[in-house]
Amino acid sequence: MPLRRPSSPPKPPDRRQTERDLTYAQDMAGLSASIHDIDDHPVIAERLRSGGFHHLSHSRVIGHGAADRDRALTNLFSGRAHRVAGAPLYRSGTPLSADAPLAPGDVVTVTPGRGLLTPLDSPCLVLTAGPSSMIYGTLPGHVECGEEFFGVSLNEDGTVTATVSAFSRPGRLITRVGGALGRRIQARMASAYINGMEAA
């Protein structure tokens, strides 16, 4: 009778990543939503400063009326804004689409390119998605340590404003070495994300 090779134990299911896995303190989750008016939040400003976090916020009028607001939100939640910005989002290895928009709890990978830029692929946990904003925070392996907020507002005068705010500090050697250059790239990307939300 042939010897039976012992069967290998079943692989445990992948543990769902949660706020416990963020690369910054859990009690900071959601603070990126307050960065646009950081002067009104001195306690938050001091928390970021003492933690070594750089912060930025960019806003721009991108349209007028409910139709422009809805288009910008569709671009954001479908991943189109990130694709237009040159940093597409993938969920479980698949690009985001309008058929399966972002949802809280999703783990997405920001992919700024392939080939030479593949090492910059960075995982994030979606903390909020809707009705008018999205926040994701960095997971282990991200080039930065921090959080980013994307918002769209329809103002009383009918204008539509898109805002991208973030706080971060270097998460890997490449961003520690990059220093000020990395911050300039972040600022450029914030503007590019707004262009992506505005895209027709």
Side-chain angles (χ1 to χ4, degrees):
M1 183 173 181
L3 289 174
R4 254 190 202 174
R5 185 174 293 174
S7 59
S8 54
K11 291 175 73 175
D14 289 336
R15 182 177 65 80
R16 185 167 176 82
Q17 291 184 292
T18 68
E19 288 184 24
R20 292 193 312 272
D21 302 295
L22 295 171
T23 58
Y24 55 98
Q26 275 183 260
D27 66 351
M28 295 179 73
L31 291 188
S32 58
S34 301
I35 301 243
H36 182 60
D37 51 0
I38 193 74
D39 291 341
D40 296 333
H41 303 282
V43 173
I44 293 174
E46 173 56 25
R47 177 75 192 275
L48 295 176
R49 188 200 63 75
S50 63
F53 290 96
H54 165 75
H55 61 82
L56 63 85
S57 187
H58 290 269
S59 289
R60 192 171 75 236
V61 172
I62 60 170
H64 194 279
D68 284 349
R69 175 203 58 196
D70 293 348
R71 184 187 71 248
L73 289 169
T74 297
N75 286 342
L76 176 60
F77 297 132
S78 69
R80 184 166 187 242
H82 279 69
R83 285 195 302 279
V84 170
L89 294 176
Y90 284 76
R91 180 176 44 205
S92 300
T94 304
L96 287 182
S97 71
D99 296 329
L102 286 166
D106 282 350
V107 172
V108 294
T109 302
V110 184
T111 58
R114 287 288 178 245
L116 290 175
L117 293 179
T118 296
L120 300 181
D121 288 1
S122 296
C124 299
L125 176 68
V126 177
L127 302 175
T128 63
S132 60
S133 64
M134 186 267 281
I135 296 174
Y136 57 43
T138 58
L139 292 169
H142 199 291
V143 294
E144 297 286 348
C145 168
E147 189 177 276
E148 199 153 20
F149 165 89
F150 305 82
V152 179
S153 60
L154 178 59
N155 308 307
E156 288 185 6
D157 64 357
T159 57
V160 176
T161 302
T163 299
V164 176
S165 302
F167 64 83
S168 66
R169 62 188 180 197
R172 284 168 34 192
L173 178 62
I174 191 169
T175 39
R176 284 197 293 274
V177 170
L181 174 61
R183 290 194 290 275
R184 285 199 297 272
I185 291 171
Q186 276 188 312
R188 188 180 305 164
M189 287 306 300
S191 181
Y193 290 138
I194 290 176
N195 290 342
M197 285 188 270
E198 184 180 22

